[in-house]
Amino acid sequence: MTEQAHPLATIPQDELVARAEADSLRPRFHFVSPAGWLNDPNGVSQWNGIYHLFYQYNPEGAFHHRIQWGHATSTDLVTWTDQPIALEPSAGPDAEGCWSGVLVNDGGTPTLVYSGRFEGKELPCVAVGSPDLLSWTKVSENPVISAPPAGVDTTAYRDHCVWREGTKWRQLVGSGIRQRGGTAFLYESPDLRSWDYLGPLFIGDASHGDPADNDWTGTMWECVDLFRAGQGSLGSAPSDSSPDVLVFSAWDDGDTRHPLYWTGRYAGDTFEPTALHRLDYGGRFFYAPQSFQDESGRRVMFGWMQEGRSDAAMVEAGWSGVMSLPRTVTVADDGTLRFAPVPEIEKLRRDHASLPGQIVADASIPLDIGLSGTELDLELELQLAPGARLRLGVLGSTDRGAFDIPHEETTIELVRALQGDNNGTLRLDRTRSSLDPTVDVEDKSGPVPMPEGRVHLRVILDRSAIEIFANGIPLTARAYPTLGGGNISLSAEGTAEILSLEAWTMAEIFADTRCLFPPMPGSPTQVG
Ligand code: DQQ
């Protein structure tokens, strides 16, 4: 490293990987960086059959500084091979960081559009790749847009969504207009190098709602992602009633709030919104999502699962940040989105156990299904009576209930409304998740459609990473148990029928020791 070490770089780099790997809270089948810091997914794509996941990376330590683009590839979206760092800051417009961006196919040339950071501000930059996407060259025209739109008082300006429309490229840059709200500025280009500003695609209203609300749209939109949820490409005449979707991460003055999406219609140079929705009830724990359409036509999304422990604890642990499992995005009959982990993840299922169907009525049952653990995939089919409340406890410590012995458990709760057949609530209660008083235990919840009381519940646990899907509505979060328990329990108020419960232990995805600076395939491995 040529730069002076950052004051937070307290762990020698040759120890960082070992330190990170020794942490019992580090996930084993979610993608994590070799060590150090990871945040947003970038350039998510499939290129000639190979999946590419780039990510915001600081190999110097578990803090956000001088961000580079880490890179990993996969043939199945399950196991990942570390590839050499794709972009790193260099003298010029990205001297302070290569921030988030996307990958596009420019007539066969892999091309990255990203935010170069310099003098505390970000501007759009471009880099072109070798055919194997392993070597990247920044173009001489950088920054390809020299400033935010003239005369507009912006709160921030960064992150990109780029697509081909007819003979031109189009680009959105995330931003916010002071005293108004978040926005995405629309540009057009013949060559990805020279861009004409067309105007704001759509402007949010930051004065609408309470800033404390979990659907407040913020003062800036990070990581905007516009796509057509149905058939056809952006800008073409829609062939069905599926909406266009504008995903963004609501930001406010340095605070990463939560991912939201607008459904609506993109046409001409504007987006006509129909409705605003929360994208994941975990809020900041599924931040900066980015999606792509894979070669089979599926829309696949990744998000950054932020940490819920202190900055100092992250630095000490030697690693920070988890990439969500890739999840498919589909449209429900009501025009809102549904999510599910890609089915490929099921390859990791190992030991299997199941619970015969049974009714839990006003009872608590310790679940002796012959399986427990901290790396699990659980799938339940449930039938809740009106007003019933079902609690699924996971990551439970073994001495549950014993007098005076500290107990930990993370609780997933489903409640069916008393009236009306179709509504309910999903909630994650982390108040007893950890004996560590410093970790985030904020309540997470939101409404879930429950037609006639039926719920398909999927819970994926990977040590500190938790992904929950209730009838396709996601709630992603982190928990930091100190006792290492993997017990499962069930309890109910009212009547809940467990139609089926299946559980699997999950295999790990990284067998070999990882390298902070992965070498080019075929070249000798570097230390660290
Ligand atoms: N993270 C990136 C930015 C983006 C933010 C910097 C979202 O480009 O706005 O690492 O988490």
Side-chain angles (χ1 to χ4, degrees):
M1 196 170 24
T2 49
E3 295 216 330
Q4 222 185 343
H6 188 278
L8 285 174
T10 50
I11 300 169
Q13 291 209 341
D14 56 0
E15 273 180 47
L16 213 51
V17 173
R19 173 81 70 108
E21 283 298 299
D23 183 355
S24 61
L25 291 164
R26 185 163 150 98
R28 305 310 296 175
F29 63 93
H30 280 71
F31 183 83
V32 284
S33 63
W37 172 274
L38 167 149
N39 60 298
D40 314 351
N42 292 154
V44 295
S45 51
Q46 190 178 18
W47 188 282
N48 291 337
I50 307 290
Y51 291 102
H52 291 263
L53 171 63
F54 300 84
Y55 57 93
Q56 296 276 284
Y57 180 37
N58 179 16
E60 202 187 350
F63 51 93
H64 188 268
H65 175 67
R66 201 175 171 271
I67 292 296
Q68 324 192 358
W69 275 42
H71 183 195
T73 53
S74 173
T75 54
D76 59 3
L77 288 171
V78 178
T79 54
W80 295 92
T81 304
D82 288 316
Q83 300 294 358
I85 287 171
L87 291 176
E88 94 176 283
S90 55
D94 66 8
E96 293 167 9
C98 300
W99 283 22
S100 284
V102 292
L103 173 89
V104 291
N105 183 340
D106 184 12
T109 302
T111 303
L112 304 178
V113 182
Y114 67 102
S115 290
R117 179 172 169 92
F118 183 56
E119 296 183 333
K121 295 204 168 67
E122 296 81 45
L123 288 173
C125 291
V126 166
V128 291
S130 54
D132 60 6
L133 282 73
L134 298 186
S135 303
W136 297 90
T137 308
K138 297 169 188 174
V139 303
S140 58
E141 295 91 334
N142 284 340
V144 294
I145 298 174
S146 59
V152 185
D153 188 4
T154 53
T155 49
Y157 176 82
R158 57 174 171 266
D159 309 335
H160 314 266
C161 175
V162 181
W163 68 98
R164 189 85 185 159
E165 204 172 306
T167 57
K168 295 274 179 81
W169 290 101
R170 285 201 153 193
Q171 168 170 207
L172 292 175
V173 181
S175 190
I177 301 176
R178 216 172 286 284
Q179 309 304 338
R180 289 194 66 184
T183 193
F185 293 124
L186 180 63
Y187 295 82
E188 192 168 74
S189 168
D191 58 4
L192 296 169
R193 311 289 194 277
S194 65
W195 292 92
D196 293 321
Y197 174 55
L198 302 179
L201 180 78
F202 167 48
I203 307 172
D205 180 1
S207 70
H208 181 80
D210 185 331
D213 289 348
N214 50 26
D215 62 353
W216 183 55
T217 56
T219 55
M220 190 254 165
W221 293 352
E222 295 194 298
C223 300
V224 287
D225 187 16
L226 177 68
F227 56 86
R228 174 152 294 177
Q231 297 300 312
S233 51
L234 282 175
S236 64
S239 58
D240 59 24
S241 61
S242 303
D244 294 327
V245 176
L246 178 63
V247 173
F248 64 99
S249 289
W251 180 92
D252 179 45
D253 196 21
D255 199 2
T256 54
R257 294 295 306 279
H258 38 238
L260 300 172
Y261 66 95
W262 296 98
T263 50
R265 186 61 67 209
Y266 161 70
D269 300 340
T270 54
F271 181 87
E272 193 58 50
T274 311
L276 176 72
H277 305 274
R278 295 167 67 194
L279 191 142
D280 187 300
Y281 294 159
R284 74 177 185 92
F285 291 112
F286 187 82
Y287 197 75
Q290 191 181 93
S291 70
F292 68 106
Q293 196 171 27
D294 79 357
E295 289 168 1
S296 72
R298 298 181 296 183
R299 182 149 294 272
V300 177
M301 181 179 277
F302 288 87
W304 165 38
M305 299 175 68
Q306 300 190 19
E307 297 295 325
R309 53 183 174 181
S310 71
D311 293 354
M314 294 181 217
V315 169
E316 208 34 39
W319 70 282
S320 172
V322 177
M323 201 56 77
S324 75
L325 296 176
R327 47 180 78 164
T328 56
V329 185
T330 51
V331 191
D333 292 344
D334 66 358
T336 61
L337 300 181
R338 295 291 180 272
F339 301 87
V342 296
E344 288 92 322
I345 295 301
E346 292 164 27
K347 278 189 197 174
L348 295 174
R349 290 173 169 176
R350 291 293 179 270
D351 297 342
H352 175 238
S354 58
L355 191 75
Q358 58 183 280
I359 291 175
V360 190
D362 295 317
S364 165
I365 53 166
L367 269 198
D368 190 10
I369 51 171
L371 201 87
S372 61
T374 56
E375 291 134 61
L376 296 177
D377 186 356
L378 308 174
E379 207 157 358
L380 292 87
E381 286 296 338
L382 305 165
Q383 171 78 55
L384 304 187
R389 178 185 305 266
L390 179 89
R391 288 198 196 90
L392 173 68
V394 294
L395 301 174
S397 52
T398 40
D399 293 311
R400 177 185 167 83
F403 184 65
D404 253 8
I405 297 181
H407 176 57
E408 289 178 337
E409 187 177 68
T410 297
T411 310
I412 297 145
E413 187 177 88
L414 290 164
V415 186
R416 182 177 172 192
L418 198 51
Q419 269 149 16
D421 259 342
N422 296 320
N423 299 310
T425 306
L426 166 67
R427 174 169 171 246
L428 180 68
D429 177 357
R430 295 178 297 156
T431 49
R432 287 176 302 130
S433 285
S434 178
L435 297 177
D436 178 350
T438 67
V439 301
D440 181 308
V441 293
E442 199 190 359
D443 205 77
K444 300 286 179 192
S445 66
V448 167
M450 291 183 188
E452 281 138 38
R454 283 294 284 265
V455 185
H456 174 83
L457 178 67
R458 180 93 178 265
V459 178
I460 296 184
L461 303 171
D462 191 1
R463 297 181 166 195
S464 60
I466 304 174
E467 298 195 52
I468 304 164
F469 301 83
N471 286 343
I473 307 284
L475 193 166
T476 305
R478 307 291 304 277
Y480 300 89
T482 62
L483 302 173
N487 278 5
I488 306 171
S489 69
L490 270 179
S491 63
E493 285 165 28
T495 304
E497 193 172 349
I498 319 296
L499 302 170
S500 68
L501 184 158
E502 300 206 76
W504 293 265
T505 60
M506 296 293 272
E508 307 190 354
I509 60 168
F510 290 106
D512 300 326
T513 304
R514 299 178 64 194
C515 183
L516 267 188
F517 300 95
M520 273 292 168
S523 69
T525 311
Q526 283 172 258
V527 176

